[in-house]
Amino acid sequence: MSSSAMKKKVLLMGKSGSGKTSMRSIIFANYIARDTRRLGATIDVEHSHVRFLGNLVLNLWDCGGQDTFMENYFTSQRDNIFRNVEVLIYVFDVESRELEKDMHYYQSCLEAILQNSPDAKVFCLVHKMDLVQEDQRDVIFKEREEDLKRLSRPLECTCFRTSIWDETLYKAWSSIVYQLIPNVQQLETNLRNFAQIIEADEVLLFERATFLVISHYQCKEQRDVHRFEKISNIIKQFKLSCSKLAASFQSMEVRNSNFAAFIDVFTSNTYVMVIMSDPSIPSAATLINIRNARKHFEKLERVDGPKHSLHMRMR
């Protein structure tokens, strides 16, 4: 792996059977939800390196959750596991019958993080929410979130409800990865400039392999607050269907009487989605503008990329 890569250590922890490896496989290994049933339990720690946006590499440690392994993490492997951690993701099975033990292990993780990586960001995923009756989900998640925030002090934790069967998994992981992108504010500034120059209603930037949303800008309010994650899910499934036919997904245009949506390869590590509602702007003009912006955004992906904003001349 290139020595210029910026590595970020991510710990994925939680009791055995909580769903850690399933979610990792869906996000990073192109599994679909039903195929995760054949995954076995993680033994000790599985390491994987995921290249994300060029120079950023996620050093993902998927830690097996059996009691023996968990005890070892806090004793003989403590320094190795918890040193230099950027992000701790702790997964809770919402229907666990050993909630007290789950909370005990979580607190032990926090103590080790405070000792070895006090600046790490902490995320808790209350997982398998699809198993909870729909009318109870808000109440149960809120109660669990309050408990976890209280237990996490003095550290701050961000909680998400997740399921491998809907868009919530993409929402959580997009939010987590967003925290790790080194030049995300610069990226968002340039995306906003791009959207305003081409008179787009909305522009989204997706990471190419995972199709996680890493940045967006909207000029008009949209009704569906879950649209990003739904699009990620739909397009990733479509990409997988293409690959089964030995075809590769390149681009897509969807048009109706209200808007036109363009999804296209943008940089070597991203796709872009552009939403246009002005019927006077032809498709060809939007596609040319996307092509003209590519080189600039390629430079932005480098950690040492340009510090100037996008002031391109668009057609």
Side-chain angles (χ1 to χ4, degrees), residues 82-314:
F82 293 100
R83 191 188 301 124
N84 300 322
V85 174
E86 292 280 342
V87 165
L88 167 66
I89 304 169
Y90 203 97
V91 182
F92 294 90
D93 179 348
V94 71
E95 294 217 312
S96 171
R97 296 180 181 179
E98 296 183 306
L99 183 57
E100 193 172 324
K101 182 186 280 187
D102 294 347
M103 293 298 191
H104 167 71
Y105 281 143
Y106 174 59
Q107 285 188 296
S108 297
C109 280
L110 294 179
E111 289 169 9
I113 285 288
L114 270 171
Q115 182 181 359
N116 292 276
S117 303
D119 295 327
K121 296 179 176 67
V122 179
F123 297 89
C124 293
L125 307 188
V126 183
H127 195 46
K128 303 186 182 180
M129 288 296 291
D130 55 285
L131 300 178
V132 178
Q133 287 186 10
E134 194 166 351
D135 61 350
Q136 295 294 311
R137 290 175 189 172
D138 287 347
V139 173
I140 289 175
F141 175 73
K142 200 70 183 171
E143 289 176 353
R144 196 64 56 87
E145 182 181 37
E146 288 173 359
D147 288 343
L148 290 169
K149 284 182 176 291
R150 178 174 47 79
L151 284 172
S152 300
R153 295 184 189 127
L155 291 169
E156 294 282 331
C157 82
T158 303
C159 299
F160 294 95
R161 67 184 86 187
T162 54
S163 167
I164 63 172
W165 300 101
D166 61 28
E167 71 277 355
T168 55
L169 190 64
Y170 284 88
K171 178 180 178 62
W173 279 89
S174 289
S175 299
I176 292 166
V177 168
Y178 177 88
Q179 302 278 338
L180 295 170
I181 299 171
N183 57 343
V184 69
Q185 290 182 327
Q186 187 187 359
L187 193 62
E188 290 188 330
T189 297
N190 282 269
L191 204 66
R192 181 189 67 225
N193 292 346
F194 174 57
Q196 291 173 345
I197 289 167
I198 69 173
E199 300 177 33
D201 293 8
E202 190 165 33
V203 178
L204 282 73
L205 206 59
F206 299 92
E207 199 278 328
R208 191 164 184 167
T210 62
F211 242 82
L212 295 173
V213 177
I214 53 175
S215 186
H216 82 280
Y217 178 76
Q218 67 182 67
C219 301
K220 294 183 179 179
E221 284 297 317
Q222 305 292 337
R223 287 179 295 178
D224 189 349
V225 296
H226 301 297
R227 63 194 181 282
F228 302 158
E229 297 78 40
K230 289 177 180 176
I231 292 166
S232 290
N233 206 353
I234 291 167
I235 298 299
K236 191 164 185 184
Q237 298 310 314
F238 182 69
K239 279 182 66 184
L240 291 174
S241 298
C242 290
S243 65
K244 290 176 182 176
L245 298 172
S248 60
F249 173 72
Q250 179 79 17
S251 62
M252 176 186 295
E253 179 180 344
V254 178
R255 180 179 289 275
N256 63 21
S257 58
N258 298 316
F259 71 90
F262 304 84
I263 300 176
D264 204 351
V265 170
F266 200 41
T267 68
S268 57
N269 297 292
T270 61
Y271 278 85
V272 70
M273 181 174 185
V274 176
I275 309 295
M276 309 286 291
S277 62
D278 186 344
S280 68
I281 301 176
S283 297
T286 301
L287 294 171
I288 288 171
N289 287 336
I290 291 172
R291 185 183 68 197
N292 287 345
R294 279 182 181 136
K295 183 181 288 187
H296 181 83
F297 279 86
E298 281 279 9
K299 292 177 182 176
L300 283 176
E301 285 184 11
R302 302 178 198 140
V303 174
D304 58 346
K307 300 298 183 284
H308 56 276
S309 295
L310 181 67
H311 297 291
M312 300 175 57
R313 183 178 178 184
M314 296 294 181

